[in-house]
Amino acid sequence: MRPRSGPTVEHRVLAVRLRLLRERAGISLQTAAEALDAHPATVRRIERAETGLDARQVGELLDCYGVPAAVAEPIMAGLGAANLPGWWHRWRDAMETWQQDVIGVESSASLVRTWHPALVPELLRTPAYAAALYRTQYPDDTPAQLDRRVELLRERQHRLRERGAALWALMPAAALHTTVGGRAVMDEQRERLTEAARRPHLTVQVVPLDHPPHAMTGVPPLYLLRVPAPEIGDQAVLETPGVRVDIVDDPETVMNHRIRLDAACAAAPHPGMPLPGN
């Protein structure tokens, strides 16, 4: 069973290492499962970080793969940290299942690139702007539940800044003309974007209303996440609001999304230009 709060990057890294060690040893899933006296699905779940890393099971798998002590010992030593819940665990009641997986990667990302076709991208929203949207997106939530969602977003933004991760956001000027929460909320949001654009590690590009179509025109909200761990490739998160969210780690597919976003950013006004309407 997948941990309720989603796996941390440390957990994902160890899971990938276990899969690579099995494959390099030429051991099948069936043989690995027999070493655990379990079903092959159990090994697959371990390798996909969909279940906790049990020390006994991991030790038996490493023995089965003939892993030398110099390689096995750091893996075993890292199990404790890998099994710890992520910082976002306390907000799991305010998260969708897919958000748990995304935030698990985002929390260690060195670069986050984001596009939204109609609204201010999530990681740049003020609490008031976010709250106004949440009231529309989650009409059945109580005020306390809505507050929890806002708290989580603020914590994500804080941690991104705290570790100096790079954030590159692209949005259409239409996002600044869509009134969310009233004029005062929008004025504050504009001020926040202007301030954010001056911060290091943060790039904000706004496509003017009279700009011709570009590579991201009509594309749903997109996140590209890069983690400085060779075991974990770049990931793309494509959201179709109210329908589904696709989390993609296939290198070719992620590359295609990155190429489209690169093209749109290259065609947009240079970062640092005044926000439309300012």
Side-chain angles (χ1 to χ4, degrees):
M1 182 176 181
R2 179 177 289 278
R4 288 185 61 193
S5 60
T8 62
V9 164
E10 292 82 3
H11 187 165
R12 292 173 187 268
V13 167
L14 286 189
V16 171
R17 287 179 181 171
L18 288 172
R19 176 179 60 78
L20 293 175
L21 288 169
R22 176 180 63 78
E23 292 175 349
R24 289 168 184 168
I27 303 295
S28 67
L29 282 171
Q30 181 63 45
T31 300
E34 290 172 357
L36 299 182
D37 192 24
H39 192 277
T42 299
V43 179
R44 179 62 73 193
R45 286 165 55 211
I46 291 173
E47 294 180 351
R48 291 177 174 172
E50 293 175 349
T51 187
L53 293 170
D54 178 79
R56 179 191 63 80
Q57 290 184 325
V58 172
E60 290 179 352
L61 290 175
L62 294 175
D63 287 343
C64 176
Y65 306 158
V67 178
V71 176
E73 288 174 2
I75 291 176
M76 297 301 295
L79 293 181
N83 281 325
L84 289 175
W87 62 261
W88 57 93
H89 181 78
R90 60 179 288 201
W91 280 283
R92 64 194 184 279
D93 61 302
M95 301 163 68
E96 309 293 340
T97 300
W98 66 269
Q99 287 180 307
Q100 297 175 22
D101 289 331
V102 171
I103 294 175
V105 177
E106 177 191 281
S107 65
S108 295
S110 59
L111 171 63
V112 178
R113 299 182 65 186
T114 179
W115 150 261
H116 199 293
L119 298 168
V120 173
E122 187 175 27
L123 291 172
L124 291 173
R125 294 171 185 169
T126 64
Y129 184 101
L133 281 178
Y134 291 151
R135 285 193 291 272
T136 299
Q137 295 168 341
Y138 304 99
D140 296 330
D141 273 10
T142 65
Q145 290 172 320
L146 292 171
D147 287 345
R148 292 281 287 164
R149 296 186 190 278
V150 174
E151 286 176 11
L152 172 61
L153 178 59
R154 294 180 70 172
E155 186 67 16
R156 289 169 61 193
Q157 294 169 337
H158 169 72
R159 288 176 178 269
L160 199 71
R161 291 193 303 269
E162 188 176 52
R163 69 173 189 275
L167 173 62
W168 188 346
L170 178 68
M171 75 186 88
L176 303 177
H177 291 268
T178 300
T179 303
V180 176
R183 181 168 181 174
V185 171
M186 292 304 299
D187 287 346
E188 180 191 31
Q189 180 66 75
R190 281 177 172 273
E191 291 176 8
R192 177 69 62 85
L193 287 172
T194 300
E195 173 197 345
R198 300 191 188 105
R199 293 205 304 262
H201 311 299
L202 204 158
T203 302
V204 179
Q205 288 183 277
V206 180
V207 182
L209 290 174
D210 59 356
H211 196 276
H214 53 81
M216 294 300 293
T217 299
V219 176
L222 173 70
Y223 285 145
L224 292 178
L225 303 169
R226 174 167 296 171
V227 176
E231 296 87 353
I232 302 177
D234 291 359
Q235 299 199 20
V237 183
L238 199 64
E239 181 181 355
T240 306
V243 180
R244 71 178 188 279
V245 174
D246 295 319
I247 303 174
V248 182
D249 58 8
D250 172 65
E252 183 176 354
T253 303
V254 174
M255 174 66 77
N256 289 337
H257 286 304
R258 185 164 61 245
I259 289 172
R260 291 172 64 92
L261 187 55
D262 284 345
C265 289
H270 189 273
M273 296 289 288
L275 295 180
N278 279 7

